[in-house]
Amino acid sequence: MSLLNIGKSAVLANSVLLNTTSNNIANINTPGYVRQRTEFVSEKFGLGVGQGTTERLVNEFSQKQLRRDTTSAAYSAQYLAEANRLDALFSNAANSIATGMNNLFQQLQTANNDPTQLSSRQLVIGTSQSLLNQFGSMSTLIADQEQFLNQQMDVYVKEVNDLITQISTYNNDIVSYGSSTSRPIPLDLLDKRDAAILKLSEYLEIQTLDSASGEKLVFMGSGQALVVERGEFNLLSLRGDPDPNDRNIELTLKSNKNVKVELSAQGIGGKIGALTDYRLQVVKPVQNQLGQLALTLADSMNTQNKLGLTLNGTIGQDLFRLPVSQGLAFTSNTSNARVLVEIEPGRSNQLPPNDFLVEVVNANTITVTALDDMGRPTANSKTLTSISGFPATFSAEDTADDDLFGLKIQIGAAAAGDQFVLKPLNAAARSMQMASTRAEDVALASPIRGEFNATNLGNGRVEGLKVFNTDPASSAFTASSIVNGPLTVTYMGQDSLTNEYLFTVTDSTNAVLGETRFATNNFNNVLENATPNLKEQLGFDFNLTGVPKPGDTFTIDFNTNGYNDNRNGLEMSALQDATIVRRSAEPFGQAVNQYSLNQSYATMVGNIGERTRQARTANEANTAILEQTTLWYESLSGVNLDEEAADLIRFQQSYAAAAKILQTSQTIFDTLLQSVR
């Protein structure tokens, strides 16, 4: 009987080995299948083979490494795919904003060469409209990509939630089998659970722990639990507060849907992390920088055009119409107040490429804080107070340092604790319009001119006429004249007591507006050095060169019929190289914080190219690492046909040998029976 039992156990054992090997071969192309191996123990006292155990061949360390490298490779591949789209957009010469700006200033220079030509001025208007169209097209394409990112995020979060639910279900099924030998866990369930966890690692960085019950506990890389014990799990959800176009990721508890935990935008990893990081690092900054560039160019052109004289002989007006945007209110606000924000005319050089947070402190005080790319408050914050409370309007003059980031803010009847996010740059590039399409409105001439009296004995001349303000409410200008003009500047000679050079300034009624004293014969900024300061009062200033004689007079008058004048046009042309774009929200003076229009655009395009290059390098490296890790993992867990074929032959031979044992046992038994007959 012992020989029969040994043979029987050997046949059954080799049958199981053949089944295991055959199953490996059959599932060689099954995704997620892990190679299986059956091991037996010998029976006591040499009575054959004992209990056999079939298990999966998995190296836990290589499996965790595979998940980690899968996360990294998925992140870099997704990031590169998105970056390539924007890089292709900005690297195309046909889309170059720099070319459009250079064309505008080139047409402006052509108009300066012959200010009387209406056609040249019309080209300035036409080129300006083309540049606005270009800004609008680029901004719209960036907005479309951001919307596409949001759609991908929606899809990925849904897939993540499906995978989390699947893993939890597999955990429940696995636990329900227990750990007894009479009811072993189906190995395909373990394969499916591992495959789901590996798939989940494509979307975000995860960590796993094994529980005593056999469940796999899944956590995000930052520590938040996704799958916990007893089949409980948490889901990801998306929200946009206060901007519905943003996608902020939060964790929702399955047991209580009202409990939500907002997750940091950093460190998510995987495809979702790539989308989040790309939006925060590239798309939003580029959209803001493009809006900043458009607003700075338009406001600077407007400001300079209003300091000039049109072909119709009137003070210039805005060429571009700048947009007004509405602040975004947080859902936690207790009031229905609205906030409007626009660029304060003439202060675009104070505008950084940031969003801003407005917080209502009390019944008449707000704070305005620049936000960084991650949406976090920076150190640069302004506290503004309205004497009359809300509603109120705040501008740069309401700050102690005369810097409100170039913003003009109107706030309604807000309540303490209300918060608003201002995004004046987000849609600015695609919202601007031409304020005038008339060629005559391009103000190339200066509105004033200075002349010396032909009877003067000295050789003094009026030079460096500079206009700062043509607003009738705060300067000496009207639409087509100077109030009580022309002004007369008379050199009175040197004071006998102080040896100072003395000038008087009078208007057309001979009323003395002020006098200027110079300690040296360097007669610069005559009106600014006057008592009182006439520069602020009149809106312009000038220098006197040469050596005047006592009694010499100089006339400052409105530039009537100054058709051939291009002095203001030259000032507009100089904007091309002027450092008028603010780099960051850092206070002025702490660093080199301004650059030119072309430098701003070149920096923006360079950052896009650099991000894309880094993503391409990272993708190549992560892909190679993942390939190596996959080979390492597959070397143990993957099915090798050569190895399985060899095992199949070996097990066939051992099965045949075991059958011989049974045959021998039968022969011996028959011999014994015959011997006793």
Side-chain angles (χ1 to χ4, degrees):
M1 291 299 293
S2 297
L3 190 61
L4 180 63
N5 288 335
I6 292 173
K8 176 184 175 183
S9 64
V11 168
L12 293 176
N14 282 284
S15 177
V16 172
L17 290 171
L18 285 170
N19 288 338
T20 302
T21 303
S22 300
N23 191 50
N24 287 339
I25 295 173
N27 286 282
I28 187 171
N29 295 315
T30 302
Y33 178 80
V34 174
R35 182 162 66 104
Q36 299 175 4
R37 177 177 62 190
T38 301
E39 293 185 346
F40 292 89
V41 296
S42 63
E43 283 285 13
K44 297 178 181 179
F45 311 116
L47 297 178
V49 63
Q51 180 67 39
T53 302
T54 301
E55 60 182 12
R56 303 183 316 141
L57 296 179
V58 176
N59 182 317
E60 288 288 339
F61 182 74
S62 67
Q63 189 177 52
K64 290 183 177 181
Q65 189 78 6
L66 179 63
R67 292 170 187 160
R68 190 197 70 176
D69 294 342
T70 297
T71 301
S72 300
Y75 175 95
S76 57
Q78 184 73 54
Y79 198 105
L80 178 61
E82 306 305 330
N84 278 335
R85 295 188 183 95
L86 203 60
D87 184 58
L89 179 65
F90 278 87
S91 62
N92 190 336
N95 297 327
S96 174
I97 297 292
T99 301
M101 292 190 297
N102 291 337
N103 288 341
L104 172 59
F105 287 107
Q106 183 178 355
Q107 295 301 336
L108 191 58
Q109 187 58 51
T110 301
N112 285 333
N113 292 337
D114 189 357
T116 61
Q117 285 293 329
L118 189 63
S119 59
S120 297
R121 296 178 185 237
Q122 188 61 56
L123 287 175
V124 173
I125 296 295
T127 308
S128 298
Q129 182 62 65
S130 296
L131 181 57
L132 287 191
N133 294 342
Q134 200 168 8
F135 269 117
S137 297
M138 295 293 283
S139 179
T140 299
L141 290 172
I142 296 172
D144 289 344
Q145 184 173 24
E146 185 170 13
Q147 188 62 33
F148 179 65
L149 294 179
N150 290 339
Q151 292 171 357
Q152 288 188 89
M153 188 81 75
D154 294 339
V155 172
Y156 288 168
V157 166
K158 182 179 182 302
E159 292 181 2
V160 164
N161 288 336
D162 289 343
L163 289 169
I164 290 173
T165 305
Q166 288 177 30
I167 295 169
S168 178
T169 302
Y170 291 140
N171 274 344
N172 281 333
D173 293 342
I174 289 169
V175 170
S176 68
Y177 279 91
S179 58
S180 65
T181 56
S182 61
R183 199 164 182 263
I185 300 171
L187 298 184
D188 66 300
L189 278 181
L190 300 177
D191 289 349
K192 291 176 181 177
R193 185 178 66 179
D194 285 350
I197 294 175
L198 182 61
K199 186 67 176 178
L200 181 62
S201 69
E202 291 184 15
Y203 296 101
L204 38 80
E205 182 181 353
I206 59 173
Q207 301 290 339
T208 61
L209 290 175
D210 293 320
S211 72
S213 62
E215 294 178 276
K216 281 281 189 183
L217 311 184
V218 183
F219 302 86
M220 294 185 65
S222 51
Q224 288 82 5
L226 298 177
V227 180
V228 292
E229 289 186 285
R230 294 180 297 278
E232 292 295 323
F233 58 89
N234 303 317
L235 299 175
L236 299 184
S237 61
L238 299 171
R239 67 176 182 86
D241 186 20
D243 188 351
N245 291 321
D246 283 344
R247 291 294 189 273
N248 301 324
I249 301 177
E250 59 188 14
L251 209 58
T252 304
L253 300 184
K254 178 195 174 188
S255 56
N256 188 346
K257 303 274 187 185
N258 295 322
V259 177
K260 299 179 184 295
V261 179
E262 185 169 349
L263 303 179
S264 171
Q266 290 181 306
I268 296 175
K271 293 181 178 180
I272 293 180
L275 294 179
T276 302
D277 289 350
Y278 177 72
R279 184 186 68 194
L280 294 174
Q281 295 172 0
V282 181
V283 175
K284 290 185 68 175
V286 168
Q287 187 72 277
N288 279 354
Q289 290 164 10
L290 197 64
Q292 178 200 28
L293 182 61
L295 287 175
T296 302
L297 172 63
D299 178 64
S300 300
M301 292 285 287
N302 282 349
T303 300
Q304 194 61 53
N305 199 67
K306 288 189 289 187
L307 298 180
L309 200 65
T310 68
L311 196 59
N312 293 331
T314 58
I315 296 294
Q317 299 300 316
D318 288 342
L319 293 175
F320 302 94
R321 185 177 296 111
L322 305 186
V324 177
S325 64
Q326 182 170 324
L328 303 169
F330 281 84
T331 56
S332 58
N333 287 2
T334 57
S335 75
N336 295 322
R338 294 200 313 162
V339 174
L340 299 178
V341 59
E342 59 184 310
I343 305 306
E344 187 173 357
R347 292 187 180 269
S348 58
N349 64 317
Q350 297 177 351
L351 178 66
N354 296 74
D355 295 336
F356 306 90
L357 175 66
V358 173
E359 298 177 276
V360 180
V361 179
N362 53 43
N364 60 356
T365 304
I366 65 171
T367 60
V368 181
T369 307
L371 302 176
D372 63 15
D373 291 343
M374 305 300 296
R376 300 169 301 200
T378 64
N380 198 355
S381 179
K382 314 293 180 182
T383 300
L384 310 172
T385 301
S386 170
I387 298 176
S388 58
F390 303 128
T393 300
F394 299 97
S395 58
E397 62 185 15
D398 298 304
T399 66
D401 56 2
D402 196 35
D403 174 19
L404 186 52
F405 309 114
L407 306 177
K408 180 179 179 181
I409 301 171
Q410 302 175 54
I411 184 170
D418 285 356
Q419 293 183 318
F420 306 86
V421 170
L422 308 183
K423 296 188 173 185
L425 307 178
N426 185 58
R430 58 184 183 275
S431 301
M432 291 195 309
Q433 299 176 343
M434 294 295 298
S436 174
T437 57
R438 300 177 69 250
E440 297 90 335
D441 291 339
V442 180
L444 300 179
S446 174
I448 55 174
R449 59 189 175 204
E451 299 175 342
F452 65 92
N453 196 313
T455 61
N456 288 355
L457 299 178
N459 62 353
R461 298 290 185 272
V462 177
E463 300 287 350
L465 274 167
K466 188 80 171 179
V467 180
F468 302 98
N469 182 15
T470 57
D471 185 356
S474 55
S475 72
F477 289 97
T478 68
S480 57
S481 66
I482 296 178
V483 177
N484 294 328
L487 306 182
T488 300
V489 179
T490 304
Y491 176 51
M492 307 303 294
Q494 285 185 277
D495 189 302
S496 59
L497 297 177
T498 64
N499 286 329
E500 293 177 321
Y501 300 89
L502 177 63
F503 295 85
T504 61
V505 182
T506 58
D507 62 16
S508 60
T509 66
N510 290 325
V512 178
L513 302 179
E515 64 176 31
T516 305
R517 294 176 178 268
F518 291 99
T520 67
N521 60 352
N522 185 5
F523 309 138
N524 291 333
N525 304 320
V526 175
L527 300 183
E528 182 178 9
N529 291 299
T531 305
N533 187 331
L534 296 178
K535 171 186 172 182
E536 299 297 329
Q537 176 183 335
L538 300 177
F540 58 88
D541 206 348
F542 59 91
N543 305 327
L544 290 175
T545 61
V547 181
K549 298 294 184 181
D552 285 358
T553 60
F554 306 88
T555 300
I556 310 298
D557 199 2
F558 195 79
N559 192 17
T560 304
N561 297 326
Y563 305 123
N564 288 319
D565 190 348
N566 66 357
R567 284 176 293 160
N568 193 61
L570 294 176
E571 294 289 341
M572 294 175 71
S573 295
L575 294 175
Q576 183 176 16
D577 300 316
T579 53
I580 55 178
V581 183
R582 186 169 180 173
R583 286 179 182 265
S584 69
E586 291 292 327
F588 289 107
Q590 292 190 2
V592 178
N593 205 17
Q594 285 189 309
Y595 45 13
S596 69
L597 297 169
N598 280 328
Q599 285 175 331
S600 172
Y601 183 74
T603 300
M604 177 176 63
V605 175
N607 287 340
I608 295 171
E610 178 63 18
R611 289 282 186 184
T612 305
R613 185 194 64 79
Q614 292 176 358
R616 187 174 293 112
T617 302
N619 184 58
E620 292 173 356
N622 289 332
T623 300
I625 292 173
L626 179 59
E627 289 176 354
Q628 293 176 1
T629 306
T630 302
L631 290 175
W632 176 27
Y633 174 79
E634 291 288 341
S635 67
L636 176 64
S637 300
V639 177
N640 186 308
L641 278 180
D642 293 337
E643 183 178 347
E644 298 299 331
D647 285 344
L648 190 63
I649 294 172
R650 181 160 58 90
F651 297 149
Q652 284 175 334
Q653 292 173 344
S654 62
Y655 184 91
K660 281 289 186 182
I661 296 174
L662 288 177
Q663 184 180 0
T664 302
S665 173
Q666 182 65 41
T667 301
I668 294 173
F669 185 71
D670 290 344
T671 301
L672 286 174
L673 287 178
Q674 291 175 4
S675 66
V676 297
R677 287 178 181 176

